[in-house]
Amino acid sequence: MKTLIEDATIVAFKDGRHTTMNNAVLMFEDDAIRYVGDAYAGDVDHKIDGRGKLVLPGFVNTHVHVTDTAFTRGWMEDWTGHGTNVTGLYQVLPAVRGAIGAQDEFAGAECGFAELLLSGCTTVVELGFDFEMLEGGDIAHTRKIADIAGAMGLRCYVGPRYRSGRWSLGNNGKVQYHWYPDRGRSRMDDCIKFCREYDGRFNGRLKTMLAPGQVDTCEPDMLRETRTRANESGLSIQLHAGQSPTEYRSIKERHGCTTIEYLNDAGLLGRDFIIGHGMFLSDDGDVDRCSAKELSILQESGTSIAHLPWVKARQGSFMNSFAKYRAAGINMCLGTDTYPFDMVAEMRCAATLCKIAEKRTAVGSAEDIFAAATSAGALALGRPDLGRLAEGCKADIVLMDITRPHAVPMRDPLKFVVFSASASDVDTVIVDGQTIVENRTIKTMDLPAALSRLNEASRRVWARVHL
Ligand SMILES: [Zn+2]
C-alpha cells in the first residue's frame, strides 16, 4: 500500500544531515520510504494531510528499562543518603526492584512501551532487570515482555541482562559486591538462547542484543565470552559502564587500569558495542581526564555511547561533556534510561547540560542532539535504514502538531523540537509503515486498562519495599 504525506514540513535526511523541507511530501509503500521531495505525481492508496504537522524520523531510544521504572518513580528523587550517584543506584534501586513480581513487570512494560510510543520513540532498546530477582531471573519473563513490545507494534531491541554479581550499600555508605558466578553463567546461557530464538520476530521489528549487566558486576571471563558469542551470532552488545565514580574506582582497584582500558582488554569495544551512560570514564567524569590514547581507542573501535542525561542530572551530575566526546569522533546516541520515557525532554536536557558543562551556547546544538536521538542511535544499532527520512529507509515516522502557541511561528523546526517542543505534541506515530498512534491515541492497546493494571501492581510492589 502506498501512503502519501503531503503539504508538510519534513525533516528529511540529505547529504549526511537532517534538513528541513517546507511544503514537502513523503511517500512510503508498505514498510519503506520511497520518496521524499517537493511533489509526488504517482498514484497512491492513502493520503495524510500534513498541514500543521512537522514530520520527523521516529526517535531511536538506545537505552530503557520498562519493567521497573514506573515503580521506582517517586522513590529515587530527593533521597537523603550518601551523596550523588550512590544511594539511588546502590540502595534505593535494588530495594524497589527486589519488591517487583512477574505480573508487576508485565504491567510496567505495557505502560512503559506506551509512554515511549506517545513520545515519538519508534525504536527502543529494552534492557531488562529481572536477572536481579533471586540473583537469577526467569527468561520466560523476558519472552513475555518481548511479546508485549512486538504486539504493540514497536521496533524493539531486547537485551536481557546477566552478570556475575550484584551490589548493595553497606551501613558505612560503601558499595559492596556479592558474587554468584555460576548462577550468572547459567543466566548468560539462557539469555543467549533467548536472543537466538527471538531475533527477527514480528516481521523483523523484534531484535535482540547481548547485555552483560554492568562493567563492575561481570567477571572478565564473562565479558570475553560475551564478545566471542557476539562475533558468532552477529548480535550487538550493550553494557552499563561509566555510571558512577564508585564504579570507576572499583575497576581501577580490581584490575589496575581505567574503564576504557579494561573494556579494550576484554575485547568488547567495536562498532557493535554500546556503552550505556559512559559518563564516568575518568575519576571525576571529565572527558579531558581521559588520555588521548583512551579516546583514540574508543574512537577507532567505532564504539557508541548511549548518553542518558536526565537520570543522572536529577541526582546532581552531568556528562562533561557530550561535545568533547563528539569532538573526539565518538558516535553519541541518546536514551532515557528511566522516567520519564520522554525523548523530547531528554533531548532538551542533553543540549542544556552540554552548554552548562562547556559554559558556551554553540555546543550541544539542536542538530547534534537531534542526530543523537535519531540517526546516531540507528548507527549504534547498525541500522542506517532507521532514524532518518530518506528513500529506502524504514517507514518509522512521527508527526508533531505544530499549531499550538509554543510552536507558532516556526522559524527553525530542529531548534523547535529540541528547545521548545513537548512529547504531547506527538500526534501520529508510524512504525514499519503501520500507524500505531493516531490523534495521540495508541491503536494497538487498551491504555486505560493497562494503567489500571499498573496502579494495582504499584500497590503490591510498594507494600513490599523496605527502605
Ligand atoms: Zn540503565
Side-chain angles (χ1 to χ4, degrees), residues 27-163:
M27 195 281 280
F28 62 93
E29 183 176 14
D30 302 325
D31 63 343
I33 296 169
R34 298 291 180 212
Y35 179 80
V36 187
D38 295 325
Y40 181 78
D43 291 335
V44 295
D45 304 294
H46 177 60
K47 285 185 177 180
I48 297 174
D49 184 357
R51 284 174 296 177
K53 300 285 193 299
L54 177 59
V55 182
L56 307 169
F59 300 128
V60 179
N61 189 336
T62 49
H63 187 122
V64 301
H65 307 275
V66 290
T67 54
D68 65 315
T69 284
F71 307 110
T72 61
R73 191 169 57 218
W75 287 93
M76 300 285 287
E77 313 88 341
D78 307 338
W79 191 264
T80 50
H82 300 280
T84 63
N85 282 312
V86 174
T87 308
L89 191 58
Y90 301 105
Q91 185 180 23
V92 183
L93 196 57
V96 178
R97 283 180 166 177
I100 299 172
Q103 292 306 318
D104 313 321
E105 280 192 88
F106 307 147
E110 282 182 292
C111 295
F113 288 135
E115 196 183 345
L116 287 157
L117 271 170
L118 290 169
S119 85
C121 296
T122 51
T123 299
V124 304
V125 177
E126 151 59 16
L127 301 158
F129 88 98
D130 69 274
F131 71 118
E132 286 184 358
M133 296 161 77
L134 304 174
E135 300 180 353
D138 185 344
I139 206 72
H141 300 180
T142 307
R143 286 198 188 94
K144 168 99 178 168
I145 289 152
D147 286 336
I148 291 171
M152 283 176 68
L154 263 168
R155 194 179 295 287
C156 186
Y157 282 71
V158 177
R161 289 189 293 163
Y162 50 87
R163 57 184 182 174

Side-chain angles (χ1 to χ4, degrees), residues 63 65 240 277 337:
H63 187 122
H65 307 275
H240 288 69
H277 290 285
D337 198 9

Side-chain angles (χ1 to χ4, degrees), residues 9 301 319 344:
T9 304
S301 69
M319 179 179 269
V344 180

